[in-house]
Amino acid sequence: MEIDLEKLPFDVDFHPSNDVLAAGLITGHLLLYRYAAESPPVRLLEISAHTESCRAVRFVNEGRAILTGSPDCSILASDTETGSPITRLENSHGAAVNRIVNLTESTVASGDDEGCVKVWDTRQRSCCNSFHVHEEYISDMTYTSDSMKLLGTSGDGTLSVCNLRSNKVQTRSEFSEDELLSVVIMKNGRKVVCGTQTGTLLLYSWGFFKDCSDRFIDLSPNSVDALLKLDEDRVITGSENGIISLIGILPNRVIQPIAEHSEYPVERLAFSHDRKYLGSISHDHTLKLWDLDDLMQVSGNPTHNHSASADSDSDGMDIEDSIPKSSKGTKRKNSGKTQNLSTSSNFFADL
């Protein structure tokens, strides 16, 4: 299934409970479609969300609203039924908003081009924390609810861990020689996998984030722009050459290329709510929906979860509190500090 978006897409997200998806475009528009197996996708809404590109898209409030972020520094909440604006925070960040991810039913996190991560509490209707942890753009984030840790990757070549229970930046990795573009947590929380600009996958052991414990180079030299966890042992990668691959982690191996979006970079990957479809967007202006069962049959592997492979790394160590200085001497003045923003703008008042 293929949708011609007509313009370059930056992000895609699926409704959490029905067959609706959303894509944010370089024009600042947000498009919502309904999809079905036996019929062409139908455009439901076109929302003029931002004056600049729409880089980040996330459904919230059980799909009743959708958040979008933009280089115009605003975050907009729109009604998914009518497309009408619910509320807009004009100065949500001091720089372009690059990523928005869901944390819990009532919280989301956003990251900007200057390395700032903010956590928004939809119940308190405000921004509750701001972490000035990176020196360049936030490329991706992921969250583990068990320990309330928010992990982020950045163009500055580091991985950060923010503790949302203590509201502190808990640790930050040493500087890699490569931009980190994507991140997932695997092996039942014991491994963190990061995609990089050179195509190397960096594996970090939980609790030992200063340096990676393993490198997987078989996808080089094409950058790994998108990672999507299939189960505890397998991850789907979207690369610069347009290839979507199924990768095994520990043992590290390319199980099989499973699709080719186009000859252009795969910008984002996402699962439908029922995990029947894999969505991919690329610089060819299209959004493609792949039947996940068909893709897995091609690889010869079922889609059910595998038990995690044993490895020799410890998983109970406390994370270091120190944050390394940049090898380039560009450490942000307030790096590692947090700021309580519980009195900030009443962003979610109408959600």
Side-chain angles (χ1 to χ4, degrees), residues 47-102:
I47 303 169
S48 181
H50 298 277
T51 57
E52 298 184 43
S53 60
C54 185
R55 286 190 188 176
V57 176
R58 278 298 176 273
F59 284 97
V60 295
N61 277 22
E62 300 178 333
R64 293 188 296 271
I66 189 165
L67 301 183
T68 53
S70 170
D72 65 14
C73 299
S74 72
I75 294 178
L76 172 68
S78 301
D79 185 284
T80 54
E81 291 293 330
T82 65
S84 59
I86 298 172
T87 189
R88 183 190 300 271
L89 185 61
E90 293 291 353
N91 297 302
S92 63
H93 281 259
V97 180
N98 196 50
R99 289 291 278 156
I100 298 175
V101 297
N102 297 102

Side-chain angles (χ1 to χ4, degrees), residues 151-281:
L151 280 65
T153 52
S154 171
D156 65 14
T158 65
L159 169 71
S160 65
V161 181
C162 296
N163 189 326
L164 302 192
R165 184 175 286 117
S166 63
N167 297 328
K168 293 181 179 179
V169 178
Q170 196 148 356
T171 193
R172 185 177 169 196
S173 72
E174 299 291 346
F175 284 81
S176 168
E177 297 177 355
D178 208 353
E179 293 183 22
L180 304 188
L181 304 178
S182 46
V183 59
V184 292
I185 300 171
M186 300 187 67
K187 295 293 182 179
N188 296 308
R190 291 184 289 113
K191 291 292 178 180
V192 176
V193 182
C194 297
T196 70
Q197 190 177 36
T198 61
T200 300
L201 295 183
L202 303 182
L203 277 66
Y204 294 84
S205 296
W206 191 266
F208 300 88
F209 290 103
K210 288 301 181 182
D211 197 6
C212 64
S213 60
D214 199 0
R215 295 171 182 264
F216 179 63
I217 63 172
D218 288 13
L219 296 175
S220 299
N222 297 291
S223 65
V224 180
D225 299 335
L227 289 174
L228 192 61
K229 175 180 171 179
L230 180 64
D231 54 38
E232 298 302 329
D233 301 322
R234 297 176 295 171
V235 63
I236 298 173
T237 63
S239 295
E240 181 182 21
N241 59 358
I243 300 296
I244 301 170
S245 300
L246 184 64
I247 305 298
I249 299 298
L250 295 176
N252 302 328
R253 66 200 188 283
V254 177
I255 296 173
Q256 189 168 335
I258 54 176
E260 182 175 5
H261 184 109
S262 68
E263 61 185 12
Y264 300 105
V266 176
E267 189 77 21
R268 290 279 185 265
L269 296 170
F271 286 132
S272 62
H273 70 97
D274 53 5
R275 291 173 69 94
K276 177 175 175 55
Y277 294 105
L278 170 68
S280 63
I281 55 173

Side-chain angles (χ1 to χ4, degrees), residues 101-104 107 141-151 164 185:
V101 297
N102 297 102
L103 304 182
T104 68
T107 56
M141 293 179 286
T142 190
Y143 178 68
T144 171
S145 58
D146 291 344
S147 58
M148 294 182 65
K149 301 291 196 313
L150 176 62
L151 280 65
L164 302 192
I185 300 171

Side-chain angles (χ1 to χ4, degrees), residues 18 24-25 51 71 98 102 121 127 131 140 153 189 219 239 272 275 284-285 294 322 327 350:
N18 60 44
L25 306 184
T51 57
N98 196 50
N102 297 102
D121 189 324
C127 176
F131 300 94
D140 199 8
T153 52
L219 296 175
S239 295
S272 62
R275 291 173 69 94
D284 65 349
H285 300 177
D294 289 347
S322 59
S327 58
D350 298 318

